[in-house]
């Protein structure tokens, strides 16, 4: 994926939003934030995703993770659209997170969130111009991208997976990158010990012990531990 990727510092853009002007680094602050783009306001998949995010907002908040939406329409449009999003969610969840406005499509380019195949069909001045993809960056306290999703406009994201991925990132960070999470991991399940950690080091780091999978190679690299 060319452009902004894992390890890069997210550009410190200042943009209008439904919560007033936001400067990205200030918004991220000392915690984690999820910046997620949507092709356009008043589109079907985006409306379901925004409502789903509103429903998960408390879970992210519990983990100290802020949410920040971005769509390429203006703030007035975002405010009108928010009424639809909340109504679609049955009025159960308010959209409490800000939605950035990027009518000029400059921010989505800098954030590497453009879908070159998806063109604006309704924009007055922007007809035929590329729309944002369904991109999502998890940004850490150091303002660097920790994880990115890149989905096309036709595939709505799974918020359970966003939450699971965030839990994985937070778990790995809590243990200084000495643990990783295996396939389909969920919080409460065993993590694996990272490859650079020797058994001796692991015994000191994980007094609860660890279990090594018995594999044909006998290399002893797949070690599970409770975290
Ligand atoms: C949608 O949000 O439903 C959507 C937006 C652009 C293209 C296709 C679907």
């Amino acid at each position: 994926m060319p452009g902004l990727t894992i390890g890069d510092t997210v550009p410190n853009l200042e943009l209008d939003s439904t919560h007033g002007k936001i400067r990205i680094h200030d918004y991220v602050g000392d915690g984690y934030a999820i910046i997620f783009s949507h092709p356009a306001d008043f589109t079907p998949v985006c409306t379901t995703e925004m409502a789903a995010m509103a429903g998960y907002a408390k879970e992210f908040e519990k983990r100290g993770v802020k949410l920040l939406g971005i769509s390429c329409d203006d703030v007035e449009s975002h405010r009108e659209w928010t009424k639809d999003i909340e109504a679609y969610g049955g009025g159960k969840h308010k959209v409490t997170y800000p939605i950035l406005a990027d009518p000029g499509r400059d921010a989505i380019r800098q954030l590497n969130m453009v879908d070159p195949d998806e063109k604006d069909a309704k924009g007055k001045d922007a007809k035929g111009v590329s729309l944002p993809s369904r991109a999502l960056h998890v940004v850490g306290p150091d303002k660097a991208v920790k994880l990115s999703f890149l989905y096309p406009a036709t595939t709505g994201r799974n918020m359970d997976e966003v939450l699971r991925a965030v839990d994985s990132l937070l778990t790995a960070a809590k243990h200084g990158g000495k643990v990783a999470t295996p396939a389909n991991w969920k919080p409460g399940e065993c993590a694996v010990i990272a490859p650079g950690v020797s058994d001796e080091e692991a015994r000191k780091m994980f007094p609860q012990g660890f279990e090594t999978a018995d594999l044909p190679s006998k290399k002893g690299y797949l070690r599970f531990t409770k975290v």
Side-chain angles (χ1 to χ4, degrees), residues 39-40 43-47 118 131 134 153-154:
T43 51
V45 179
C46 299
T47 303
E118 205 60 58
L131 288 168
R134 295 185 196 288
T154 45

Side-chain angles (χ1 to χ4, degrees), residues 177-179 192-202 205 221 223:
K178 303 285 186 184
V179 302
V192 296
I193 299 171
V197 181
S198 68
D199 279 357
E200 195 188 341
E201 210 186 327
M205 281 191 72
Y221 60 89
R223 298 165 295 173

